[in-house]
Amino acid sequence: MSYVVTWGRGNRRPGSTIAEVDTALNDAAASGVPQVVGIYPPQHLAGDASPWDAPLPPALQIGVGHPDRSFVLWLGPEGGIGVEAGAPPWPDGTPDIAFDYGGDAVFAGPDRARVTPDTARQAAREFVRTGQRPTCVQWTNEQ
C-alpha cells in the first residue's frame, strides 16, 4: 500500500516501504525539535477528504525526536493510544513534551507519551507493512 509521511510545515515524503519510512523518520528526528509524524494513505491528504463524508482508511501518528518518550496514535476504527507495557514510568515533576504539529505545539505527557522512541518506530514499520493497527503496543482510549 502507498503512504505519505508528513511532519512539520510542508514536509511530505512517500512511505510505501520500510526504508522510505525510516528515512522520513530520521529526517523528522534530525530537525532538533520533537515532531508529530503522520503516516497517511493518500486519501487522507486529498483536498476534499472528510472523515464525516465517508470513513477514511486508517492512519497512524507517532512522536519522534525526543530521546526518551514517544507516542503512538491510531487514526482508524476504535481509535486508541499506544501503550508499551515495559516503558519506564513517567518521572514525577517532568513537564509534558511539546511535539511540533505543523507549527503548533501538541503536548504529550504521562497520559499520551506511553511508549519509547524505538517502540514508536516499530509501530510505524508494522503499520506500513500490514496496513493494520500495530500489535507491538497495547491500546487504550483513556487519557
Side-chain angles (χ1 to χ4, degrees):
M1 183 159 187
S2 176
Y3 294 99
V4 178
V5 182
T6 67
W7 72 95
R9 289 188 178 202
N11 296 297
R12 191 181 277 219
R13 303 270 177 79
S16 301
T17 68
I18 301 299
E20 288 173 337
V21 169
D22 280 340
T23 297
L25 294 176
N26 290 341
D27 290 349
S31 72
V33 175
Q35 300 281 329
V36 174
V37 176
I39 304 170
Y40 303 104
Q43 297 92 319
H44 271 262
L45 304 175
D48 58 351
S50 170
W52 295 275
D53 293 339
L56 293 172
L60 194 74
Q61 289 181 338
I62 69 169
V64 301
H66 189 272
D68 302 317
R69 287 291 178 157
S70 187
F71 63 84
V72 178
L73 298 177
W74 177 245
L75 307 176
E78 302 173 19
I81 298 168
V83 178
E84 180 181 350
W90 189 268
D92 287 339
T94 300
D96 291 355
I97 302 163
F99 288 89
D100 178 69
Y101 185 61
D104 294 323
V106 172
F107 293 92
D111 59 335
R112 185 164 282 195
R114 296 174 149 185
V115 299
T116 60
D118 287 342
T119 297
R121 282 179 177 252
Q122 183 181 346
R125 292 176 187 127
E126 184 177 342
F127 174 62
V128 169
R129 191 174 61 251
T130 67
Q132 303 296 313
R133 187 162 83 163
T135 60
C136 64
V137 295
Q138 298 168 347
W139 295 97
T140 184
N141 289 322
E142 297 175 13
Q143 291 194 40

